[in-house]
Structures are given as structure tokens and as C-alpha cells.
Amino acid sequence: MNTESDKEQFLKEFGSDYGYPNAPKNIDEIRATEFKRLNSTVYLDHAGATLYSESQMEAIFKDLNTTVYGNPHSQSSCSLASEDIVAKARQQVLNFFNASPREYSCIFTSGATSALKLVGETFPWSSQSSFMYSVENHNSVLGIREYALSKGAAAFAVDIEESTHLGESESPKSNLKLTQHHVQRRSECGELKEGTTGNAYNLFAFPSECNFSGRKFDPYLVKVIKEESERILGSSQYGRGCWLVLIDAAKGCATDPADLSKFKADFVVFSFYKLFGYPTGLGALIVRNDAAKLMKKTYFSGGTVAAAIADIDFFKRREGVEEFFEDGTISFLSIAAIQHGFRIMNMLTTSSISRHTASLAAYVRNKLLALKHENGEFVCTLYGLLSSEMGPTVSFNMKRPDGTWYGYREVEKLATLAGIQLRTGCFCNPGACAKYLGLSHLDLLSNIEAGHVCWDDRDMLHGKPTGAIRVSFGYMSTFEDVMKFVNFVENNFVILSSNWSAFHLSSISPPVEGIGKAAARHFLTSITVYPIKSCAGFSANQWPLTSTGLLYDREWILKSTTGEILTQKKVPEMCYITTLIDLNLGKLFLESPRCKEKLQIELKSNSLATGRDEMDIQNHRDVGAKLNFVNEAQFLLVSEESIADLNSRLKSNGRKSTGGQAVQVGAMRFRPNLVASGGEPYAEDRWRHLNIGGKYFTSLGGCNRCQMININPEAGEVQRLSEPLATLAGYRRAKGKILFGILLRYENNTKTKSDAWLRVGEQIFSNGDSN
């Protein structure tokens, strides 16, 4: 692909929108001066958090280093400086949303979620109230439902549809249609009765932009709900009463902030890190002053009362809306920082940011929609495309030529190796996720019963994706970012062979019974025991076997002072903790470069017996096995020939370490218990049953590799590289897994010799071979 010619075509179509041609700095200058830290990183998760600029942080540090800000709950000059900067920040927020201070107030919170919680807990719910919300709302909005239901109110989701074509006489309001879902209630006594006068207060919540699909919602929803709720909800009895409207602007505010002079929502919530990256832990609730008067707040704090008496039931609240709702001392130093973020937004303008990011998203959508496998099948399924307006977010999944889905975790793993940061899953938006993926309630409950929860790795269940892949763009995103991402998708997921199964090399093949009679001879060349999970192991020429595997292998773990289990994923430096067990002395020796003394631990005298502590678990292959603190199986075996082949590929690919040397890996990079030699590379993939010196083992299949094998512990300091996983991904990938080495289970109950030891040099017989 020729990036230069692609960019020329892109600029022909989007040149007037892309790159801030009328701003003091264009996009190339912005990236070169403000985001040098990105270097080779392609950051495409601006819906999760956008990035702060260098000049923004420099201005913040200069401000904090030259100004003394005191607690604003005081009258000192330093406190008055804080009070002044907070007042200016409130006005900046209101200006950003075009909200008059006569109508609206800005309440600072710890983020959008905290602002939503504040609305939910202070809203004037009653048994006659309704909480209506778009099905495409974030979990933080759905959580308001708990407050409503606990007060006996009704709650229900709605699908919002809009026609893409309006007649000349039609208004945007008549363009919208709401379809009501099942009504939820928890209190029978709260059922609405015919003839209700409609004096109750109701709340409707919708996002300005869906964080799952990027769909933008028409702000005319504010007027529709406030003025025509009974008409648009049809004969529903829940359309009566006084409706207040909440906009979740957390996703949409960076490119299309709500105009509160036109669409007078009662509540708007957002977080500042979604706007300009820093500060985190700070957001705001913009509340219409008339709506604030209805909110019922119980708790008071030092900052929210004008007076209180300690030993009698008396207090007097402060009168200002902000003072009334901001408990405790607000984050005044973080608030002082937001002026420098707004300076960037004002310099570029939100309209220019919107056009810039929309051009990139439109280009990606067009490119992904056009991708086909050689057999003519489309690669990508995109979500939300039927909406009339889309934000700078592209959500999709991908299929193989045979119609099966690629797992989104596979995509995320390979993207990380390519230096591309994106997000996968449901993005805390279960309604949109189910809607666009076509998951029924039965599907969702079935997935939950199968153990699927948010943040796990179960990207496919019952043949369907449980989430999606999302890329999203910010004001500093570039066309070059886009092309690197598109090239990544084409190179890794578009199958050009008419026989798509050729994508999976024959080296990754299922075990076959009966082969191996004429195969080369294989020998056990190394045994390694890892007494403490994630710490370094030690080699032995021979070692006892037990029902859990090698004696003492991963029998201990390290915990932090708070009780958290420590692993190399969290603390890579654990690889420098060395271990050694002397069976004759009955001691475990530990040594760390950070400790002056070597630690000695006495082992149990009866530890060779079978009465040691064990955990009975069921692994993901549905094979029962006794394990200690291992991840998947009792043993991991790799072969010297497979490692040699990998190193040859690394060399031919010209892979270099951070020091400029060619990347080469040893067996210990994979933390195996057993190393075999002899035969062809990857012969172990075909092994099903093994006999090593009269001890019998069953192969549980290939070991799915993660980025832990990219940590290089041999350089004196932990180095995080992209290799060897990136190279393995190119030829050892099958159905979402990158396989290297095999997992084994010890079959100690059948044909086992009384001398249950493994010894280096013993011959390995596989799949029915005999000695």
C-alpha cells in the first residue's frame, strides 16, 4: 500500500476538514511539538481517555510552581486566589456548553460517574415517578435506576429511532420515535393508578454520543421529552408528569458539546480527561438552577453549611447551588489546571476538532467496509452505521473466510504487538453491546452462566462475539495513525489464499493417534522447577514427581503487605528472585539483588508424601487435574528445535532489541518445566500421549502465549519488547491463540513405576511408541 497516494486521495475528499489549516498549528506541527512521547505508538482509544499535550502540562507546572493556592474555605490571600481561579473555571465550563450562569450552575465532582450518582441520589423520586433511559447508555447511567426503583418509581429503557429524511414541513422533533421496553418495578404499592394527576417528577437520560458505536443522539430529544412526552410515548401511562432531562456528555463533549442555550437540558455530566487528557479525577455536573431547587440532599459537610450546632438538631445550608452540593474541599489544584486544557480547545475550536476527527473516522469506516477475503466474503461488520450522524468512533468485529468470528482479544493482542492501542469488549455499555451484537436476554444469561463477566478473556461464546473492537480518534490523531491501523488489519486478518485454511500452518495441527513410529528420537534435555510462582526457577538433573507435577513446583506465591498476590505481570522484577531447593537438606533458598541476606525456608519433613496441600480444579479443557499455583497445567514442555526455528525467523526478520542487537531467545524465556530435543521443529504439536522413562503424560494442547514472553530479564533490567510474540503471531496463530510449547498432565495412576522421578537424558516416546 502506498501511503503517500492514499493520503492524496484522502485529502481530496477530506482536505477541508482535516488538519486545522486555519489554526496557529496544523496537525503535523501539533504532533511534532506536543506529542513527541507517542513516537511509534498509535493511540486509538480517545473514547477511553484522550491525551494531554506537552505545552498544557508545562503551563500547569509553571502555574503551580509560581502561584500559592490555598484551601478556598478560608479568607487568606492564597485562599482567595483559589476561589478566584475556581470561579473562572466554572465560567469556562458554562461557556463551553453555551450555558448562561443565570440559568445554569457548574458543580465540580470527581468525574462524570460521580455527577450521575449525585443526580440519582438527590432526584425527587416518588412511587409516581419514572426513570426512562436510552438502551445505549453507559453503566454509570444505568446505575441511577437503583435509586429510582428503591423509591418505588418505574424504570424502563427505550430505543430511539430517527428518520434520515425529513420533509420540508417536518421538524426534527417529528423525526424521533421512542420504543418502550419492559417496565421495571420493585414495589407493588408504587403501581400507577388510573387518574393520576401527573404531578410527579420523571427523569429521562440519554448520551450525546454512544461510547459503543459512536452514534450521535439528536439534541432535540430534550425538547421532545419536555414538550411532547405523552405523544411520543403513545398511550403509555408513564409519559405523564413533569420530565427532566439528563445528557451524559462524557463521550460526546470533546467534539460536540451540548448547546444549552438551544436545548435546555436539566443536567449535563462530563469528565475533563475526556476533553484534554488532564486532570483525571475531576468532572462536573451542569445543572439548571430550577432543577437544582428540586434536588433533595440529605448529607451536609463543612463546605455546604453556613452554620451548624454540634449537640442539637440544627444546621443552616449555604445558599449557592455549587456550595450546596460540593461536599468538602473541592480539588482546587486540579480545577486550576483546566484553564490550560480549555486554551487548547479554544485555539483549535470544537467545530474544527469535530471535522478533523470525523474525517478520520469516516475514512476508516470506508476502508474497513471495503475489505474482502479472496473468496469474496467481507471481513468487517461495523456497528451503528444506520444512524444519521456518527462521532469519531468506529466499532466493529471481523470474520474469517468461512464466516466464523475472530475473537476481539486476538485482535487486541496483535494490535498491542504492532504498537496500536485500541479497546475491546462492551465498553461498560451492555445495552448497546447486546443491541448491535444481536444478543438476546437468553444469550446474555447463558453467557453469564458460562462464567463470562466484564473484563475477562471470553471473547467468544456459543459462536458469537461477546464484545467488539473499538478505535476512536482525538484532536491529535493523524492520517498516518489511521493508515497504520488499516494496514495492520489488512496484514493480519484479510486472507488472500483461496484456501483460507492455509492461513493456519500445518505445524499447528491437532494430535493424531498412531503416528511417530518412524519419527526421530526425542530426549529430555532439561528439567526446571519454579518453587515460587513468577520467580526464577532452578535446573536439576533429576527430580521427583507427585500428583501435582514436579515436587514443590509453584507451591508458593508471594503476597504484598495488603494481601495481593504478586506475579510478573504486575511486578516484572520478580524474575530476579532466584530459588534453589536442596532435597538432602530439606531447605528452600531464596536470593534477591535487593536483599543482602539469603533466605532459607525449612521444608516439611513429610513433603515427599501425598499429604501436601493441593487444590482440585477443573481447567478450561474440561480435564480434571490437581494443581498448585500454576496457570493452566502441571507441566509446560518446549523443544530446542522449535526455539531454534523461532530464532532463525527472528534473525531473518531483522528483529532488533532496544540495544540494537538481534533478538534471540533461549528456552527459559518461555518458563518451561521440560525441554526436549530431537526431530523436527514443532513435532510436539502432534503429540497426544508421552512416555518419559516409564512415566506417562497426556498432552492438553498448545500453550497460548501472552506478552510475558516479551519481557527480557537477561539485560540487567527488565526490558519490554515486542518480540518474540510478534514473530510468533505471524506463523503460530490459530483461532485467536498464539501457540508455542505444549501443556502436559502427569498420569500417575496408570503404568507408573514406583521410582517416580524424571531424569535428564531419558528418551521421550510419543503417541503409542514404546521402548
Side-chain angles (χ1 to χ4, degrees):
M1 181 175 290
N2 189 323
T3 303
E4 289 187 6
S5 61
D6 285 326
K7 189 168 186 178
E8 289 176 3
Q9 292 296 321
F10 169 78
L11 292 176
K12 284 181 181 179
E13 185 174 359
F14 299 105
S16 60
D17 295 327
Y18 174 79
Y20 316 109
N22 300 319
K25 290 183 179 180
N26 64 32
I27 183 59
D28 293 329
E29 293 170 324
I30 290 172
R31 279 295 287 265
T33 60
E34 301 284 4
F35 296 93
K36 294 188 289 290
R37 67 186 184 277
L38 283 177
N39 197 6
S40 59
T41 298
V42 177
Y43 185 83
L44 300 178
D45 189 23
H46 296 273
T50 199
L51 304 175
Y52 55 80
S53 71
E54 292 180 21
S55 63
Q56 177 187 352
M57 299 307 294
E58 288 169 1
I60 291 169
F61 292 144
K62 181 179 179 181
D63 185 3
L64 297 181
N65 284 332
T66 57
T67 307
V68 179
Y69 292 113
N71 190 318
H73 293 167
S74 184
Q75 295 298 312
S76 69
S77 60
C78 297
S79 299
L80 292 176
S82 296
E83 188 176 323
D84 180 60
I85 201 69
V86 169
K88 290 179 180 177
R90 294 192 203 278
Q91 188 59 53
Q92 284 181 303
V93 171
L94 294 179
N95 290 344
F96 187 70
F97 289 92
N98 204 11
S100 167
R102 292 187 297 274
E103 286 188 275
Y104 287 92
S105 297
C106 170
I107 301 168
F108 287 115
T109 65
S110 64
T113 295
S114 178
L116 290 165
K117 182 174 181 288
L118 179 60
V119 173
E121 66 188 6
T122 61
F123 193 82
W125 305 109
S126 73
S127 61
Q128 308 303 307
S129 297
S130 294
F131 174 46
M132 178 171 66
Y133 52 93
S134 163
V135 75
E136 295 171 67
N137 267 305
H138 190 277
N139 263 337
S140 296
V141 175
L142 300 190
I144 295 176
R145 183 176 62 190
E146 296 301 300
Y147 290 107
L149 294 176
S150 67
K151 296 293 186 179
F156 54 92
V158 291
D159 275 310
I160 302 170
E161 302 172 30
E162 51 186 288
S163 171
T164 55
H165 302 287
L166 286 175
E168 292 183 3
S169 61
E170 291 181 292
S171 70
K173 288 192 296 182
S174 60
N175 183 36
L176 298 167
K177 178 184 177 183
L178 273 63
T179 303
Q180 183 176 319
H181 286 233
H182 173 73
V183 176
Q184 307 154 62
R185 275 194 181 277
R186 287 187 184 159
S187 174
E188 293 298 328
C189 64
E191 287 290 338
L192 282 178
K193 299 179 176 60
E194 292 297 327
T196 299
T197 59
N199 291 328
Y201 291 103
N202 310 308
L203 180 64
F204 171 63
F206 72 98
S208 59
E209 181 185 320
C210 174
N211 76 313
F212 184 96
S213 66
R215 173 192 178 183
K216 287 186 177 182
F217 285 83
D218 196 325
Y220 268 93
L221 275 166
V222 177
K223 291 186 177 181
V224 167
I225 297 301
K226 283 181 168 292
E227 299 173 8
E228 303 181 42
S229 58
E230 291 193 38
R231 176 191 68 79
I232 203 163
L233 287 172
S235 59
S236 172
Q237 58 184 325
Y238 299 100
R240 308 168 193 163
C242 177
W243 281 91
L244 280 69
V245 177
L246 181 154
I247 300 177
D248 176 9
K251 172 61 185 73
C253 64
T255 55
D256 194 11
D259 186 344
L260 295 180
S261 69
K262 294 181 180 179
F263 307 104
K264 299 186 182 299
D266 299 280
F267 311 100
V268 177
V269 304
F270 72 101
S271 293
F272 288 98
Y273 73 94
K274 302 276 185 154
L275 277 175
F276 32 71
Y278 184 90
T280 58
L282 182 68
L285 167 63
I286 302 171
V287 58
R288 199 165 59 87
N289 294 330
D290 287 345
K293 296 175 183 177
L294 302 174
M295 298 169 74
K296 300 179 179 180
K297 189 166 183 288
T298 303
Y299 175 77
F300 71 85
S301 65
T304 59
V305 289
I309 299 177
D311 55 350
I312 63 172
D313 183 9
F314 175 84
F315 71 92
K316 181 180 180 181
R317 294 192 182 276
R318 300 178 74 177
E319 295 182 358
V321 172
E322 300 94 342
E323 298 164 339
F324 183 72
F325 288 101
E326 289 173 348
D327 291 322
T329 301
I330 57 177
S331 185
F332 58 92
L333 294 182
S334 293
I335 293 171
I338 68 176
Q339 60 179 315
H340 306 292
F342 274 122
R343 188 173 295 127
I344 295 171
M345 303 294 289
N346 294 334
M347 177 188 73
L348 297 177
T349 74
T350 53
S351 60
S352 294
I353 293 172
S354 179
R355 293 194 303 272
H356 172 79
T357 54
S359 70
L360 296 174
Y363 185 79
V364 168
R365 290 189 192 100
N366 293 338
K367 281 291 187 180
L368 294 182
L369 286 171
L371 292 179
K372 290 184 179 181
H373 299 294
E374 192 170 87
N375 67 355
E377 294 296 321
F378 285 100
V379 177
C380 298
T381 298
L382 274 65
Y383 303 118
L385 294 183
L386 297 179
S387 303
S388 59
E389 284 194 70
M390 299 293 292
T393 295
V394 183
S395 180
F396 64 102
N397 273 309
M398 293 188 286
K399 287 185 177 181
R400 300 181 180 89
D402 67 346
T404 60
W405 297 94
Y406 287 108
Y408 57 76
R409 289 297 187 207
E410 175 183 1
V411 180
E412 185 175 34
K413 180 188 292 186
L414 295 176
T416 300
L417 292 174
I420 298 172
Q421 310 300 311
L422 46 75
R423 188 169 173 186
T424 63
C426 274
F427 325 122
C428 298
N429 195 326
C433 190
K435 173 181 176 178
Y436 290 113
L437 299 182
L439 299 174
S440 66
H441 289 163
L442 184 60
D443 290 329
L444 297 174
L445 292 173
S446 177
N447 290 349
I448 294 170
E449 289 175 0
H452 175 53
V453 294
C454 294
W455 310 102
D456 70 13
D457 290 329
R458 294 171 181 257
D459 53 10
M460 294 287 299
L461 283 172
H462 313 298
K464 293 182 179 180
T466 59
I469 307 145
R470 185 185 75 185
V471 294
S472 50
F473 305 97
Y475 76 80
M476 73 297 294
S477 298
T478 65
F479 175 80
E480 287 71 24
D481 292 334
V482 163
M483 285 313 302
K484 287 179 182 177
F485 169 70
V486 171
N487 290 339
F488 159 75
V489 173
E490 290 182 337
N491 293 336
N492 288 277
F493 302 99
V494 179
I495 309 305
L496 298 179
S497 171
S498 57
N499 179 12
W500 79 272
S501 62
F503 177 65
H504 306 286
L505 299 187
S506 59
S507 61
I508 308 180
S509 56
V512 179
E513 288 283 8
I515 69 169
K517 295 275 185 185
R521 299 173 71 189
H522 301 272
F523 294 91
L524 183 63
T525 58
S526 173
I527 300 171
T528 305
V529 183
Y530 305 90
I532 303 176
K533 183 179 176 66
S534 283
C535 294
F538 65 92
S539 297
N541 288 324
Q542 58 182 3
W543 201 256
L545 289 169
T546 72
S547 60
T548 61
L550 293 172
L551 178 64
Y552 297 127
D553 188 53
R554 269 116 0 142
E555 189 160 317
W556 292 274
I557 55 175
L558 293 184
K559 287 186 176 182
S560 69
T561 54
T562 61
E564 179 185 18
I565 295 176
L566 302 178
T567 66
Q568 274 196 39
K569 285 187 177 181
K570 300 173 183 176
V571 188
E573 292 78 10
M574 288 178 68
C575 64
Y576 295 125
I577 300 175
T578 61
T579 59
L580 176 66
I581 288 178
D582 189 317
L583 292 177
N584 294 324
L585 294 177
K587 289 184 178 182
L588 165 64
F589 298 91
L590 282 82
E591 194 169 2
S592 169
R594 295 186 179 181
C595 299
K596 295 180 179 180
E597 296 183 4
K598 183 183 294 186
L599 180 64
Q600 300 182 29
I601 299 175
E602 293 281 348
L603 303 176
K604 295 179 181 179
S605 58
N606 63 344
S607 59
L608 286 173
T610 59
R612 295 186 297 112
D613 291 338
E614 298 171 346
M615 293 188 299
D616 289 315
I617 70 166
Q618 192 81 7
N619 70 16
H620 73 283
R621 291 176 182 80
D622 200 29
V623 180
K626 291 183 176 180
L627 305 177
N628 285 330
F629 295 110
V630 299
N631 289 335
E632 296 181 276
Q634 295 171 336
F635 300 88
L636 168 63
L637 179 147
V638 301
S639 84
E640 292 180 351
E641 286 70 25
S642 300
I643 293 169
D645 178 76
L646 170 60
N647 281 324
S648 176
R649 294 171 187 267
L650 288 167
K651 184 177 180 180
S652 64
N653 290 341
R655 304 299 190 186
K656 303 288 185 181
S657 67
T658 53
Q661 291 113 8
V663 174
Q664 295 284 276
V665 297
M668 289 305 105
R669 181 71 71 89
F670 302 94
R671 294 179 64 82
N673 297 110
L674 310 176
V675 179
S677 68
E680 298 294 323
Y682 313 108
E684 64 272 15
D685 292 339
R686 298 186 293 272
W687 296 348
R688 176 170 290 179
H689 302 293
L690 285 77
N691 176 343
I692 308 177
K695 278 73 66 178
Y696 291 85
F697 303 83
T698 297
S699 172
L700 303 179
C703 180
N704 185 23
R705 292 303 183 172
C706 68
Q707 293 186 53
M708 290 306 297
I709 64 173
N710 288 342
I711 294 179
N712 180 16
E714 300 171 2
E717 61 178 355
V718 173
Q719 293 181 342
R720 293 181 180 272
L721 309 172
S722 62
E723 295 292 357
L725 194 60
T727 292
L728 285 172
Y731 75 106
R732 295 287 300 171
R733 195 167 112 234
K735 294 291 185 181
K737 296 180 179 180
I738 302 171
L739 303 177
F740 192 83
I742 59 173
L743 302 170
L744 301 177
R745 182 184 67 223
Y746 175 42
E747 303 294 355
N748 64 315
N749 293 324
T750 59
K751 306 179 183 179
T752 303
K753 295 181 179 179
S754 58
D755 180 16
W757 287 63
L758 279 179
R759 293 176 174 84
V760 170
E762 291 180 323
Q763 188 170 353
I764 300 173
F765 300 92
S766 63
N767 302 330
D769 287 357
S770 63
N771 53 359

